[in-house]
Each structure stands twice: as C-alpha cells, then as structure tokens.
Amino acid sequence: MNPLVESFYDPSTATFSHVVYDREGGHAAIVDPVMDFDPASAHTMFDSAQRLLDFVAKRRLTVEWILETHAHADHLSAAAWLRDRTGAKVAIGRGICGVQAQFKTVFGLEDSFPVDGRQFDHLFADGDTFAIGDLSGRVIATPGHTADSLSYVIGDAAFIGDTMFAPDTGTARADFPGGDAATLYRSIRRLFALPGETRVFLCHDYPPDGRAPRAQTTIAAQREHNVHLGGEVAEEAFVRMREARDAGLPVPRLILPALQVNIRGGDLPPPESNGVRYLRLPLNQFGDPA
C-alpha cells in the first residue's frame, strides 16, 4: 500500500514537513515538523506546526508517529509540542546518542542531561520496520550529513532528510561534527538502489531564481540528473567536490538554538531558578568570523 502525502513548506528555514497517511479517517505520521523561532527576540511560536494539526483534523487522522530524520541544525523541531497534542511517539535514529554526548559538552549542558536518547520515544536502527495504520515502513541509515541521519521508506515514498536536495541543487553539506563526505556518498548510493519510480520527499529545497520550491522528486531523477553525483560520479570526485563546497559555506543561521532544542526531542531547556528558559551561545566554536 502506498501512502498519501501532504507537504508543508516553511520559507523562513526552507524546510518541508510532511504528513504521511493511509486514508482519510485513518492513521498518519508527521515527518520533520518545524517550530517557528525568531532569533532576534528569542520567541518560539507554533504556527507551522498548527498547520499540520489543522490538516490532520480536516482529514480526521490519528497521528501515530512523529519521525525525525536527524537532529537538524537549520530549524527547531516542533516534535515535543506535537506529541503533547496528539499522543504520537517521537522517533529518531540511534545515532542521536552520540550527537547528544558531543553537544552536551559543546554547550556545557546540565549534568543531569541524559545522552541515551530517552528524550525520544523510539530509537530506530538500520533495517527496522514500523507501521502507520495499514502502511508499512522501513528504516535506512543514511549517515554522512550527520552521524544520526535516517531515511524512512513507506510504500513507494522515501523521506530522505538532508541527504539530497532537488536534482538541480545537489546534496547536503557534510562538514558538521560527525559528518563525512565519503559516508554521505555511500548513503546516497544506497538510496539509488531503490526503484526508480520511488517518490523522494525532500526536507529542504533551495531553488535557483525562477523556480518555486519543490517537495518531491524521484529516485530516477536523482540518479540521472543530480548535479553532484548523478550518472557515474566516482566517490573520490564527489568527496573532493563536497569538501571544497563545504569549506565556503556559512554556518546555518539557527544552528546554535536548533541543536540545543533538537537533541532534546524538540523540548526547550528546563527553566532556571527564575522560571526563565535559556539557550546558550558557545563562543568561537562554530565557523569563522563573517
């Protein structure tokens, strides 16, 4: 059985969130939901997540899963907010434990912050399977962009996180802590082994001028036309290209707040003694001066 998919675009972060469901009145999963965040005022908002809930209510869906493809560095996750309102299980890959341990140190988080993934309801491993109502899904570990990256294959649809973008914009960066260009190449080659007609749902699109953002492509289109590794691009050539491109990329605008929230499963840090929650700014830890 193949899923129905509704995609929602957040222009502030160029992020797509997806509602995957079996039928109207049936069961659903939400993939990579966005928490709205204004970095100037440090205000959190949930307009984008509410759009997902409104669609779920309109289609009379029961949300069973909130699926994160990885701990994002470009947007804050609304997973915890949605879990509170739907009762769905929040899931991510087991690699999140290593990501938590690394960034607990970087951000100097509280000693009580656990690094065993317990902030999530389920940790997936490569090859795991799951159900969304009448739909069957499986997990493909696709590290390289980050160490914890996963892709979810549900029927004829693949939700690939940040491994690839649209064919005309290529592939994700691999220079974050735990990232690796050669590993990303091999992960994408695993995705290329899927049937060519597989619908590929993107987490981001950064379109060139004159093109609207696209949520969807196919494995065949990626194999043939991806500007970074379509055709028969060898691993060594891809790694050279990817590392050279990454060296010139700026640090993502929301990386510091996003990682602190996303390694908590979308929860904000606990309040301090004055009742206020704080995010930390580790100085001189990311990128070079502008």
mmCIF file of all heavy atoms in Angstrom, residues 71 115 159 196 198 268 274 276:
data_model
loop_
_atom_site.group_PDB
_atom_site.id
_atom_site.type_symbol
_atom_site.label_atom_id
_atom_site.label_comp_id
_atom_site.label_asym_id
_atom_site.label_seq_id
_atom_site.Cartn_x
_atom_site.Cartn_y
_atom_site.Cartn_z
ATOM 1 N N ALA A 71 18.972 15.144 13.891
ATOM 2 C CA ALA A 71 18.939 16.338 14.742
ATOM 3 C C ALA A 71 19.320 17.540 13.879
ATOM 4 O O ALA A 71 20.497 17.795 13.627
ATOM 5 C CB ALA A 71 19.900 16.178 15.914
ATOM 6 N N VAL A 115 22.285 11.271 27.823
ATOM 7 C CA VAL A 115 22.772 11.112 26.451
ATOM 8 C C VAL A 115 22.494 9.696 25.950
ATOM 9 O O VAL A 115 23.269 9.134 25.176
ATOM 10 C CB VAL A 115 24.270 11.460 26.352
ATOM 11 C CG1 VAL A 115 24.495 12.935 26.640
ATOM 12 C CG2 VAL A 115 25.098 10.598 27.298
ATOM 13 N N PHE A 159 11.472 9.375 2.536
ATOM 14 C CA PHE A 159 11.666 10.655 3.209
ATOM 15 C C PHE A 159 13.130 10.692 3.628
ATOM 16 O O PHE A 159 13.543 9.989 4.557
ATOM 17 C CB PHE A 159 10.702 10.776 4.386
ATOM 18 C CG PHE A 159 9.268 10.683 3.936
ATOM 19 C CD1 PHE A 159 8.647 9.445 3.769
ATOM 20 C CD2 PHE A 159 8.557 11.829 3.619
ATOM 21 C CE1 PHE A 159 7.344 9.353 3.313
ATOM 22 C CE2 PHE A 159 7.245 11.744 3.160
ATOM 23 C CZ PHE A 159 6.641 10.505 3.000
ATOM 24 N N GLY A 196 13.369 3.103 -9.329
ATOM 25 C CA GLY A 196 13.450 4.426 -9.923
ATOM 26 C C GLY A 196 12.199 5.260 -9.736
ATOM 27 O O GLY A 196 12.254 6.486 -9.645
ATOM 28 N N THR A 198 10.362 5.400 -7.152
ATOM 29 C CA THR A 198 10.172 5.805 -5.759
ATOM 30 C C THR A 198 10.047 7.322 -5.662
ATOM 31 O O THR A 198 10.888 8.068 -6.179
ATOM 32 C CB THR A 198 11.348 5.333 -4.890
ATOM 33 O OG1 THR A 198 11.454 3.915 -4.969
ATOM 34 C CG2 THR A 198 11.151 5.747 -3.435
ATOM 35 N N LEU A 268 12.268 22.488 24.997
ATOM 36 C CA LEU A 268 13.137 23.589 25.379
ATOM 37 C C LEU A 268 13.929 23.202 26.622
ATOM 38 O O LEU A 268 13.529 22.311 27.374
ATOM 39 C CB LEU A 268 12.305 24.836 25.638
ATOM 40 C CG LEU A 268 11.503 25.363 24.444
ATOM 41 C CD1 LEU A 268 10.625 26.539 24.882
ATOM 42 C CD2 LEU A 268 12.419 25.781 23.308
ATOM 43 N N ASN A 274 14.723 31.345 38.126
ATOM 44 C CA ASN A 274 13.813 32.477 37.947
ATOM 45 C C ASN A 274 12.635 32.139 37.051
ATOM 46 O O ASN A 274 11.843 33.018 36.707
ATOM 47 C CB ASN A 274 14.565 33.681 37.392
ATOM 48 C CG ASN A 274 15.180 33.403 36.028
ATOM 49 O OD1 ASN A 274 15.112 32.278 35.521
ATOM 50 N ND2 ASN A 274 15.804 34.416 35.448
ATOM 51 N N VAL A 276 12.763 31.212 33.918
ATOM 52 C CA VAL A 276 13.039 31.502 32.507
ATOM 53 C C VAL A 276 13.909 30.393 31.917
ATOM 54 O O VAL A 276 14.824 29.891 32.566
ATOM 55 C CB VAL A 276 13.749 32.865 32.365
ATOM 56 C CG1 VAL A 276 14.083 33.153 30.900
ATOM 57 C CG2 VAL A 276 12.891 33.976 32.949
#
